[in-house]
Every structure is written in structure tokens, then in C-alpha cells.
Amino acid sequence: MKTLIKNGHLVDPSQHLDAVKDLLVENGRIARIADHIEDPCDEVYDASGLVVAPGFIDIHTHMRDPGYEAKEDLVSGTMAAAAGGITRVACMPNTKPVIDSAILVSGVKKRAEEEGYVHVEVIGAITKGEKGQEITEMGDMALRGAMAFSDDGHFVENPNIMLLAARYAGSFDKALICHDIEEGMNHDGYMHEGAVSARLGVPGIPSIAEDICVARDAIIAEYTGTHIHIAHVASKGAVDIIRQAKKKGIPITCEAAVHHLTLTDEACASFSTATRVSPPLRSWEHVEAVREGLKDGTIDCIVTDHAPHADEEKDVEFRYAPNGFCGLETSVGVILTELYHTKLFTINEIVDKMSTRPAQLFGLNAGTLQEGHNADITILDLDKEWTVDSSRFYTKGRLTPFEGKHCKGKAAATMVDGQFVMKDGVVCKK
């Protein structure tokens, strides 16, 4: 099978490529990049006026499979990823049962290969059942292909357990992905503690609930030399701590979620349960700090923290709603609208944060358009104007705080292993 992508604006930070060229895909791999390619092909895709980038990677998603298939499953979740221009996702282990053993890692990976529309990486749990009491057999899970380890949804409170986990994971050259929010400070609040929560009379979660945990885990990263990756950074203090830790050479990296880059706690004033997330949406000074951290390299990549729920779970009072909402189908459009078209970030920076850098962080064979590599490709129409309409989503949990948002920029096509899995917003049948 040979596919020729013609006249695309190729943007690939991995090889400092930023030029209009043709790209030839053959047998699932990138065969050649040149100014003009005239080889006979099975398909020619005209990418004139479009950006051709290495496939976008989302290293923080919740596929909810196994056990919570009413919220999402590997088929619907990977279809949502394909629709959103994402070629590879990493799924968190807070499923039922928790992905805390080699057999579960193997099972999810095998099913994803058979049923999924995009590549699926599996993140194993740090502690058994994510209970924070006993570390898992990370070595066995690593041998079965676990990308990293996390108790996402929970902070590993016991420092002895975290220290032991860091030493163990480090011996397999694997990272720990940390959900750093102190449980005691987080327990009674359900939005950011600040002027908005005071005005609404809502119990708040202080930003130092993040900062304290990030500081501890930075110290553990320095002490053990193990790569620690901080999930969904949302506070100014956490950004500052990570920035200083990186200056010291500590092996710490981090990510920011789309919503923490584009929304503030003012969105919670509507009491829409779509705005209930963890960490909470914070005030503008925190959003500015997260953007600055992304710009200066303190924050390594952009994620969705795609966390769909069944409709009935979110159709409750704000205080009782579970944290999270779907994000795979809106991330590219929202980021292009809020960060690219506002001239805060270049398209090269966005591709780096959503493709090249995530691949580098976790040693993935992805994030590049280099010849010979897998043909995982995201094609972007930077000027496509569209309105978020959740009724057209592929994900099962369709609640989103971006409902009705007018966006400029969208994925035009998604290619995985040399095969188009989405064109013009429609996922291709397998």
C-alpha cells in the first residue's frame, strides 16, 4: 500500500523540518520526503494549505476499560482519539480491576491492538489497587510493555512507599507519573480556593495542595535519580518548583492539561459539572503561570486528561459530581484557537508539545516524520472554523465545558501505521 501526501506544510521538530514538501508512505512507514514525488500510488492526499505533523500523542487519558465500559471502552475511546487527530494515547490504570499486574497490562495491550483505532500505551499502577499501601510488581509489568507507572486519581501519601516505588521503577528505567494533590486539603473542597469560591460560598481547594506534593516528589526524584513526571500541573507554585528543580538537573518532567491552559475558575460559576476536575480550574494568575511554564520548557507537553463519565454520573449537583470530562475530540481545536491563533505559541511549538516531546519523555517510537519510521501522521487545517457539538462525538461521555465553543483549527486527517483512520472528522471503518 502506497499513499502520497502532496504539497503539505511539513512541521517536524524532531528534525527541524518546516517546509512544503511531498511525503510518501509505503507499507506503513514513511518512505521518502522530497520537494516533488511522482511515484505511482494507491492513494494521493492533497494537503495543500494544510500542516502535516508527526502523529499527536496524548500521554494522559482514561479509557475506562476494563470495568467502566459505560463511561468509555477501547473502541469508543480510540475512535474519539482518531477523530481528534491523536494517533497514540496512554491510558491510566484506575479501572476495575486496577491495572496493577502483568496479565492486565498484557490483556489491555492485546485488546487495543485488535480493537483500537490508534496506538494504546498502558500505564500500570504504582501500588496494588491504587491503595497506596504496597507497591506493585512493576518489573513484570515493564516486561509486558507498561509505559510508566501511576496511581492517577490518588496521591501516594506514604513517603516510604513512594521512595521504594521510585527506586524500583528506576531500576527498570521507567517513570512514575504523579497525581500530586494532598488528600487532606483536597477532601472537602470542590473548586479552586480563591475569589470565585468565596463569592459562590463554595469550599475551595488551595493551590498549595499541589505545591506541597510536587515539592516532595521533586526531592524524591533528586534523591533516587528516578524520572518523576508530574501530571496535570495547574498551580503557579508547582510550576515554580518544577522550574527550579530542572535548573538543578533533577530528573523531573511535567504536563499541562488543555483545560488548565484555557479555562479559569470563573467557568465554575455556572455550577456546570463539566467544570468539576482535579486539580480544579484555577484563577487567571495560575493559568498565566502554566502558559509561561509551557513556553519556557518547564512544562514538557500538553495532554487532555480525557476522563469521560456516564451521563447519569454527571447529572447531579456540582458537589457530588465525579471529576473529569471528555477531551480527545476538542483538544486540537481549543489549543489552536487559544494558543496558536492568539500568537502565544507557534505551530512548531504546539507540534513539539503534542507529539515530539511526549515521545521523547517516554521513549516511544513516535513523534517524528523521519524516513523509515512508522507513518503515524496528524494533518491539520489551521483555519478550519467549527463549533463544538458533543452530539457528534465518538466518545461515550460527551459532557464538555467547551460545548458550543467556536474554534479555529482542527485535525483534517489522522493516519496510523500508514492507514487513514479519520478524514474530515469522520472515523474510517476498520
Side-chain angles (χ1 to χ4, degrees), residues 95-223:
T95 50
K96 187 178 181 181
V98 170
I99 302 173
D100 59 5
S101 66
I103 189 68
L104 285 164
V105 170
S106 297
V108 173
K109 285 183 72 70
K110 184 175 187 298
R111 285 187 49 228
E113 288 171 6
E114 294 171 350
E115 302 174 12
Y117 284 74
V118 304
H119 299 292
V120 176
E121 302 292 338
V122 178
I123 298 168
I126 295 174
T127 66
K128 293 182 178 179
E130 288 199 339
K131 294 180 179 179
Q133 299 172 358
E134 183 181 358
I135 65 170
T136 57
E137 291 290 348
M138 287 183 266
D140 286 349
M141 287 191 280
L143 289 173
R144 294 296 186 274
M147 185 190 85
F149 301 98
S150 179
D151 272 8
D152 190 58
H154 303 280
F155 173 58
V156 180
E157 290 191 84
N158 187 320
N160 288 325
I161 293 291
M162 188 62 183
L163 179 62
L164 183 61
R167 285 171 165 160
Y168 190 26
S171 68
F172 296 98
D173 198 25
K174 293 291 183 179
L176 299 182
I177 301 176
C178 300
H179 180 107
D180 277 353
I181 306 173
E182 205 281 322
E183 297 284 354
M185 292 183 179
N186 186 48
H187 181 69
D188 294 324
Y190 44 93
M191 66 175 291
H192 172 65
E193 182 181 85
V196 178
S197 66
R199 186 179 82 229
L200 298 175
V202 171
I205 302 167
S207 60
I208 61 167
E210 278 188 69
D211 306 347
I212 289 168
C213 301
V214 170
R216 185 205 72 174
D217 286 344
I219 291 168
I220 289 175
E222 181 178 29
Y223 187 74

